[in-house]
Amino acid sequence: MKLTLMGNEAIAWGLIHSNTQMVSGYPGTPSSEILTTVQKIKDSKNLPVYAQWATNEKVGFEVAYAGAIAGVNAAATMKQVGLNVASDALMSASFIGNKGAFVLIVADDPGFNSSQTEQDSREFARFARIPVLDPATPAEAYEFTKLASEISKKFEIPVMLRSVMRVSHSREIVEIDDNFEFKEQKGNFQRDIPRWAAVPREGRLKQAYEQLERIEAIKKYNYENLIKSKIDKLKGTKNLIISSGAAYGYAKEVVDELNLDVDILKIDMPYPLPDELKELVKNYEKVLVVEETYPVIEEELRSENVFGRMSGHIHLVDEMNKERVLEAYKKIGFYEGENIYKPYFKVEDVNQRKPNLCPGCPHRDVFFAIKKVFRPKKSIYPSDIGCYTLGINLEAIDTVLCMGASVSMAHGLSIADKEKTVIATIGDSTFFHGGIPPLINAVYQKAKFILVILDNSTVAMTGRQTTPERENPQVDLKKVAEGCGAEVMEYFYKPDINETIEFFKKVKKRYQEIDKPLVVISRQYCVLDKERAKDFLPGIFATVDEEKCVACDVCTTQFVCPPMHYNERGKIEIDPLLCIGCGVCISGICPTDAFIPRREK
């Protein structure tokens, strides 16, 4: 059967078609659609599959991995920075292994499109000594997911499927199995304490040697099953290009379009590489490794005639593209002609738009109120990963590090700069993900700062997945914060900026009276949440009384709502197509009250 599938959807079908019965993970672009697609397939076909979001990537990994050691096929999904969170569990799992298949799916983000760092998860696979498959297209993503499951079960080892954004989010016609019948597996955990209980050194030393033996066996598998037939088809030219994953598409197209006389070899499993590949390299005058993002293959094949990132022939940071590949071919001497991929215009020629919160987003009001009450010169604003990062546009954020770090950084900043008030912001999902341990730490060490949890009951930035409290109200955000030992104040959001400011004045007063962390839970909504937003939006649309507008810039530099812009008369104007009718600007944003209700004609 042929389906037009996004890469992440193809991975989801690959999981189902490899009898994967447990899937867990944490959302994050570009990986989020994998688990949601598994959920859709499961529901549409009424399959006995567990497919649930976890509170963070480490928890998701461990839930799925437990299924794999009990004998059922399982998978964990995350983006590359999520793997940092799950890496503790991964390192132990790579020693211990599994009985059912265990596929670790990690979507990398070359070029920092939706991430705070650019990192290559293949390095993590090499670090953990587990095999990694690197699909180049959605069709390969489907086939490689099944292959990863097969290898994992055969060698009883976690296998990583490393996708990148251009594979995860591109679409292709994919041929999937027609007559597949899902076979339910019954978990049957076999007690084996020396294997499953990861205590040092007695059991681990033996497992460390077994791990090395497995890697050697997988090297042979890689050569016999994935590489040998490709080597047999090489033309035997003077020079060779080795590539993998999405980078192969760029490398191959440029070779074809420039009609270069070079051999090109695609690697499906970049780690572990067989020794036969090192022998192959000796037959060529020059070998260029084109891969994304780190020099994983290049390092494995190190030799005087092997070139790539480490030799300075390929760029070190940012996404691959055909112009960059062509530049590498010129540097190494494979091509001497003109740049046929030269763009018609430069990025600098295009007007840049700053990332901004959505029109009507309640986060904007909270940031605005915090700055009004806690002036920037007397305050520090650590924040976190998620929509609140967009508060940078309002100059309401001073630091962003990683998930949950707003809380621990607020603790540290309160010690380092005692003259200023520290007001941290974090979302509800991020608080559950990584904010609870640092809050406990701050309470037990008697730190003093304000933590504002912007609770919109959804993981908004990555696809509006549900949060623990929304899924089950017994996971009560207020009780959790109180259980950590913090004092808690709740605000039930209203689209009236004066009410929000008055609330934060009460927060400031209470903060001055206590000697512990003060947690503020702002109960809000997400304007993209179709189930809840309609209950909160009053439908009050705004326009501008130009006679009152004095072009003071408060609305464009401090409130920064997307529909607001200057017109040709030098007055603020509201774009009616962008305004969603929250009415907040009418409630007191403008010092001259220039915003007024729009009368429908």
Side-chain angles (χ1 to χ4, degrees), residues 154-220:
K154 177 182 176 68
F155 293 98
E156 296 193 4
I157 188 172
V159 175
M160 180 187 291
L161 181 81
R162 193 289 288 250
S163 179
V164 296
M165 190 267 285
R166 299 295 172 190
V167 174
S168 287
H169 284 171
S170 59
R171 287 188 180 275
E172 183 182 16
I173 296 173
V174 180
E175 181 85 42
I176 68 170
D177 296 345
D178 254 334
N179 301 313
F180 180 82
E181 186 177 341
F182 194 88
K183 293 175 185 166
E184 185 174 4
Q185 309 144 74
K186 205 168 185 179
N188 182 17
F189 177 73
Q190 301 288 321
R191 177 166 286 118
D192 185 352
I193 296 172
R195 178 173 184 183
W196 304 126
V199 292
R201 149 182 171 96
E202 188 64 27
R204 296 294 79 73
L205 189 62
K206 178 172 175 286
Q207 287 181 341
Y209 285 113
E210 290 172 351
Q211 184 189 51
L212 294 178
E213 289 172 8
R214 280 201 300 262
I215 284 296
E216 288 303 313
I218 295 169
K219 280 183 184 179
K220 290 178 183 171

Side-chain angles (χ1 to χ4, degrees), residues 24 52 68 75 102 155 218 327 359 361-362 424 439 466 563:
S24 185
Q52 294 289 340
F102 181 70
F155 293 98
I218 295 169
E327 188 63 29
C361 175
L439 181 59
T466 53

Side-chain angles (χ1 to χ4, degrees), residues 160-335:
M160 180 187 291
L161 181 81
R162 193 289 288 250
S163 179
V164 296
M165 190 267 285
R166 299 295 172 190
V167 174
S168 287
H169 284 171
S170 59
R171 287 188 180 275
E172 183 182 16
I173 296 173
V174 180
E175 181 85 42
I176 68 170
D177 296 345
D178 254 334
N179 301 313
F180 180 82
E181 186 177 341
F182 194 88
K183 293 175 185 166
E184 185 174 4
Q185 309 144 74
K186 205 168 185 179
N188 182 17
F189 177 73
Q190 301 288 321
R191 177 166 286 118
D192 185 352
I193 296 172
R195 178 173 184 183
W196 304 126
V199 292
R201 149 182 171 96
E202 188 64 27
R204 296 294 79 73
L205 189 62
K206 178 172 175 286
Q207 287 181 341
Y209 285 113
E210 290 172 351
Q211 184 189 51
L212 294 178
E213 289 172 8
R214 280 201 300 262
I215 284 296
E216 288 303 313
I218 295 169
K219 280 183 184 179
K220 290 178 183 171
Y221 176 94
N222 193 3
Y223 179 70
E224 293 294 336
N225 295 275
L226 303 176
I227 295 179
K228 188 171 182 296
S229 61
K230 293 179 183 176
I231 290 178
D232 293 341
K233 294 176 183 172
L234 293 176
K235 296 180 289 183
T237 58
K238 188 170 66 174
N239 298 311
L240 172 68
I241 293 166
I242 295 178
S243 189
S244 80
Y248 171 77
Y250 300 115
K252 180 71 166 55
E253 282 189 20
V254 176
V255 165
D256 291 345
E257 288 164 8
L258 299 180
N259 197 26
L260 299 182
D261 185 26
V262 294
D263 277 334
I264 182 163
L265 177 65
K266 180 175 181 292
I267 301 295
D268 297 331
M269 185 190 289
Y271 179 84
L273 289 177
D275 294 337
E276 288 85 349
L277 208 54
K278 292 181 181 176
E279 292 300 315
L280 174 74
V281 163
K282 292 177 183 175
N283 299 331
Y284 289 87
E285 191 173 297
K286 291 180 182 177
V287 177
L288 179 69
V289 181
V290 182
E291 58 187 327
E292 202 174 40
T293 309
Y294 292 173
V296 173
I297 297 174
E298 188 183 349
E299 281 189 6
E300 290 287 310
L301 298 178
R302 263 175 297 193
S303 171
E304 286 184 353
N305 66 332
V306 173
F307 305 91
R309 283 194 156 82
M310 295 167 69
S311 65
H313 287 77
I314 291 182
H315 67 285
L316 296 176
V317 176
D318 208 355
E319 270 193 286
M320 190 74 72
N321 59 40
K322 291 207 283 191
E323 189 180 15
R324 284 176 164 150
V325 170
L326 182 143
E327 188 63 29
Y329 291 174
K330 289 182 80 168
K331 281 184 182 176
I332 199 171
F334 290 178
Y335 176 70

Side-chain angles (χ1 to χ4, degrees), residues 179 348 405 590:
N179 301 313
E348 306 88 71
C590 179

Side-chain angles (χ1 to χ4, degrees), residues 516-532:
K516 56 162 52 173
L518 175 58
V519 172
V520 173
I521 301 174
S522 180
R523 305 284 192 183
Q524 308 174 174
Y525 65 99
C526 171
V527 291
L528 301 178
D529 185 345
K530 63 181 180 184
E531 291 178 18
R532 298 178 73 236

